[in-house]
Amino acid sequence: MEKLNQDKESHRLEKRLNERFIKAMATYHLIEDDDRILVGLSGGKDSLLLTELLAKRSCIQHPRFKVEALHVRMENIHYESDTSYLEQFCGNLGVKLHIRTTSFEIGSPANARDARRQKQPCFLCSWMRRKELFNLAQELGCNKIALGHHQDDILHTALMNLTFQGRFGSMPALLKMRKMPLTIIRPLCMMEEKDIKAYADLHGYQKQAKLCPYETDSHRTDIRRLYEEIERMNPEARYSIWNALNADSKLIEET
């Protein structure tokens, strides 16, 4: 009986994730015929699921699109994924994996004013990874870059922007870029992180060898705690914030 219940729950989980993936594609027009999509594959559960879902969807004839993936190694940050596992994972899905290495410098500020102006390691790391994605996408002739941000990421970013920047906005589900022929899409945008984690555990996704040393030393960690407190006060807060982003046209943008 216990095994039967586990199988039922697994089936419901997979169905829920697939339905939200398809709903996100339809709601925000994320994928169209003849798209060439480059996935940012960090090696975490979110990007692994994104790669899997896109690869499986690309085998269906409508819409017709192609998928490749990029994993970026950061030379001076001990944040490691097992690249042999990523190669096997992508190979099983028929997705070509590209691996590139880059780095960034963290300077020592001369004074307090310079310290305030200095970019944080998380920003610099993200920026350099994104730069590699943009460059490779254009080399390969891809017109879209897919990132593995889920709904919790988007909601947390909205709270961060309100709290620290005094503006209402977040990471859109679809972001068209004016300066280059690229569009950023986030097909996991309607999925909850807890569902993705449950799926990753169920399917034995391999975890990264080492976590980022700055992972718990950021405003995002504080905002995550704040968001959890907000959800305790109002379990419907997720949908309220999401609907506000939708109503204010923050989930489809052009930059």
Side-chain angles (χ1 to χ4, degrees):
M1 180 61 74
E2 184 179 349
K3 177 68 165 59
L4 180 62
N5 289 336
Q6 287 176 345
D7 289 344
K8 285 182 178 178
E9 180 56 36
S10 172
H11 176 72
R12 283 195 292 266
L13 174 63
E14 292 190 31
K15 184 182 179 197
R16 183 163 63 248
L17 288 172
N18 196 52
E19 285 176 346
R20 293 185 180 183
F21 176 70
I22 292 171
K23 184 176 181 181
M25 288 200 301
T27 302
Y28 302 110
H29 309 290
L30 301 184
I31 300 175
E32 299 170 311
D33 279 334
D34 301 321
D35 278 346
R36 293 196 64 181
I37 301 172
L38 181 63
V39 180
L41 180 58
S42 68
K45 66 184 188 310
D46 309 323
S47 63
L48 288 170
L49 176 62
L50 174 61
T51 304
E52 180 179 334
L53 291 175
L54 283 173
K56 289 179 177 178
R57 188 71 187 177
S58 70
C59 295
I60 300 171
Q61 291 303 306
H62 182 73
R64 300 182 308 275
F65 64 95
K66 294 183 179 179
V67 182
E68 297 188 36
L70 169 65
H71 176 69
V72 181
R73 291 193 187 107
M74 195 58 63
E75 218 167 37
N76 57 329
I77 295 290
H78 300 297
Y79 181 85
E80 299 177 9
S81 290
D82 183 345
T83 50
S84 62
Y85 171 72
L86 298 182
E87 287 170 345
Q88 180 185 18
F89 185 88
C90 288
N92 291 339
L93 294 167
V95 173
K96 184 174 181 179
L97 174 64
H98 305 265
I99 299 175
R100 290 194 169 183
T101 302
T102 187
S103 64
F104 63 89
E105 292 184 9
I106 305 174
S108 299
N111 52 53
R113 184 177 181 183
D114 288 343
R116 286 195 298 272
R117 290 178 175 177
Q118 186 179 5
K119 299 295 186 183
Q120 294 301 308
C122 293
F123 172 86
L124 294 170
C125 183
S126 175
W127 175 258
M128 294 306 295
R129 290 176 190 274
R130 195 71 60 90
K131 183 178 178 181
E132 291 294 329
L133 272 168
F134 289 159
N135 289 342
L136 182 60
Q138 292 179 94
E139 287 174 26
L140 297 175
C142 294
N143 63 313
K144 288 181 179 173
I145 292 174
L147 302 177
H149 298 113
H150 46 67
Q151 191 175 62
D152 293 69
D153 289 327
I154 293 170
L155 298 178
H156 295 168
T157 300
L159 289 175
M160 282 186 68
N161 288 339
L162 275 173
T163 305
F164 296 104
Q165 296 186 21
R167 66 180 182 86
F168 185 59
S170 188
M171 302 180 290
L174 184 142
L175 177 64
K176 293 183 178 180
M177 309 192 75
R178 296 193 192 98
K179 294 183 179 179
M180 56 183 74
L182 286 172
T183 297
I184 294 175
I185 60 173
R186 295 181 168 91
L188 308 187
C189 64
M190 303 185 89
M191 298 181 192
E192 296 186 31
E193 183 178 20
K194 65 181 181 181
D195 283 346
I196 297 175
K197 184 179 185 306
Y199 184 90
D201 292 341
L202 186 67
H203 290 265
Y205 281 4
Q206 183 173 304
K207 294 183 179 179
Q208 288 134 340
K210 293 182 182 179
L211 296 177
C212 173
Y214 301 101
E215 190 169 51
T216 57
D217 185 25
S218 69
H219 288 315
R220 188 167 289 277
T221 303
D222 298 330
I223 289 294
R224 178 187 288 270
R225 296 193 191 104
L226 174 63
Y227 177 76
E228 289 170 356
E229 188 62 33
I230 290 171
E231 278 204 313
R232 278 192 284 272
M233 288 189 292
N234 175 20
E236 299 297 313
R238 168 183 302 274
Y239 309 107
S240 297
I241 301 171
W242 187 259
N243 290 338
L245 288 167
N246 256 324
D248 209 30
S249 303
K250 299 300 183 183
L251 295 174
I252 297 180
E253 291 188 358
E254 189 170 326
T255 185

